Amino acid sequence: MDILASLGAAGTAAVITVTGTHPIDVVKTRLQVSGTGNGGRNYKSLGVFGTVKIVASEEGVAAFWKGIGAAWLREASYTSLRLGLYAPIKTALGVTNDSHFMLKFGAGSLAGAIGSVAGNPFDVLKTRMMATEGATPKIGNVASIIMKDQGISGFYRGIDANIMRAMVLNGTKMACYDTIKGKINESGAVPKGLATNFVSAFSAGFFMSITVTPFDMLRTRLMNQPIGADKLYNGALDCLVKVVKSEGPLALYSGFIPVWARFAPSTTFQLVIFEIVKPMFGIKG
């Protein structure tokens, strides 16, 4: 029951948070798929603010919430598991607040890997919908197209990159959050409670952006690439090699600013809301 309560609290916090941060994810996705040969606009040359301006003027403000339905489903599956399973996994592995950083990282990575497998189909739908220019596609129509063209396997495109991303993301996020929170509590520099949670989560979001952006970029390319003869990449490693070779190493950090702009508030509010709603689910500590 403790696990179910933890999953419920994590899912609630995640769905609330993603509703507010989704527009940043749309901008990030447009920047990352730019130049992949899909026939779309070269958003990379426009930059963050240019992309925002073009999307708003040509597609309307509502375009910044393209794929929000898939995003809600993703958060209810992926994030509820990677965030909600962290504490139970720590307990099962005997990891405590005083344990080494890498043990916390391992617990977070395992929770992230489990969550990514459950959430990958919704990740594919969300990515395809956010990258679509013009009229906002319906989630059912996008799912039908993927099923017709690619079958079930189409919903697991980019799964290798997604698992790696989720492991690095959740490992960094939860280990940094736990470690920073512990150091703050020891020093007494910040009042315990909401203020400590806020500072710890915001700091974790910064470090998470640095470690995750390359994996996020590869995942987005793999999930949004054409199929059949026009297929661009054969897995995460092939995508990595081709991107670095044709666009340079810095291309792996395409969309870093919106990634950071998304992770900073999303990590902060997600973890803070998680702490707030835990008592509502009967979770202590």
Side-chain angles (χ1 to χ4, degrees):
M1 185 60 70
D2 287 342
I3 292 180
L4 292 178
S6 184
L7 294 178
T12 300
V15 169
I16 292 172
T17 302
V18 77
T19 303
T21 60
H22 193 72
I24 303 173
D25 207 14
V26 170
V27 174
K28 178 216 69 173
T29 299
R30 293 293 179 93
L31 288 168
Q32 289 180 332
V33 300
S34 210
T36 57
N38 288 347
R41 187 189 300 272
N42 184 6
Y43 290 100
K44 192 183 298 184
S45 65
L46 298 173
V48 174
F49 295 109
T51 299
V52 171
K53 182 179 179 181
I54 288 294
V55 172
S57 63
E58 295 188 357
E59 302 176 49
V61 175
F64 292 106
W65 276 270
K66 279 185 176 180
I68 189 62
W72 285 332
L73 292 172
R74 174 187 183 265
E75 297 304 308
S77 55
Y78 164 62
T79 302
S80 66
L81 288 170
R82 70 176 175 83
L83 184 57
L85 289 178
Y86 177 63
I89 288 175
K90 278 176 60 181
T91 300
L93 298 178
V95 180
T96 67
N97 291 334
D98 297 324
S99 296
H100 192 276
F101 177 87
M102 291 309 298
L103 292 176
K104 297 176 184 177
F105 184 90
S109 295
L110 180 56
I114 295 171
S116 68
V117 174
N120 203 85
F122 306 116
D123 238 338
V124 171
L125 288 169
K126 180 174 75 84
T127 300
R128 292 284 290 270
M129 293 172 74
M130 291 190 300
T132 301
E133 299 177 357
T136 301
K138 294 182 178 179
I139 186 172
N141 292 341
V142 176
S144 296
I145 292 172
I146 293 174
M147 189 66 185
K148 180 181 178 181
D149 293 343
Q150 305 166 54
I152 293 294
S153 63
F155 293 99
Y156 285 90
R157 295 176 69 181
I159 185 64
D160 49 354
N162 209 19
I163 290 176
M164 289 187 290
R165 173 189 180 275
M167 292 178 71
V168 172
L169 182 153
N170 213 51
T172 304
K173 176 179 183 176
M174 301 311 296
C176 285
Y177 178 71
D178 261 4
T179 301
I180 294 170
K181 185 177 179 180
K183 295 297 182 183
I184 291 176
N185 285 334
E186 287 178 10
S187 67
V190 178
K192 289 186 178 181
L194 194 59
T196 295
N197 295 336
F198 185 91
V199 173
S200 302
F202 187 86
S203 301
F206 170 75
F207 291 110
M208 191 170 68
S209 300
I210 294 175
T211 59
V212 168
T213 299
F215 296 96
D216 191 76
M217 191 269 191
L218 295 175
R219 180 198 65 159
T220 301
R221 288 286 183 94
L222 288 166
M223 288 184 173
N224 195 63
Q225 70 171 328
I227 61 173
D230 296 324
K231 186 177 180 180
L232 301 173
Y233 314 111
N234 296 309
L237 182 59
D238 183 53
C239 183
L240 171 66
V241 172
K242 287 180 177 177
V243 167
V244 171
K245 183 177 180 180
S246 62
E247 303 174 46
L250 289 180
L252 296 173
Y253 278 86
S254 294
F256 174 76
I257 296 300
V259 165
W260 186 14
R262 174 175 175 262
F263 277 162
S266 67
T267 300
T268 302
F269 291 116
Q270 194 176 89
L271 290 172
V272 169
I273 294 173
F274 182 50
E275 297 288 351
I276 293 173
V277 301
K278 282 199 302 186
M280 301 177 189
F281 287 83
I283 303 173
K284 297 180 180 179

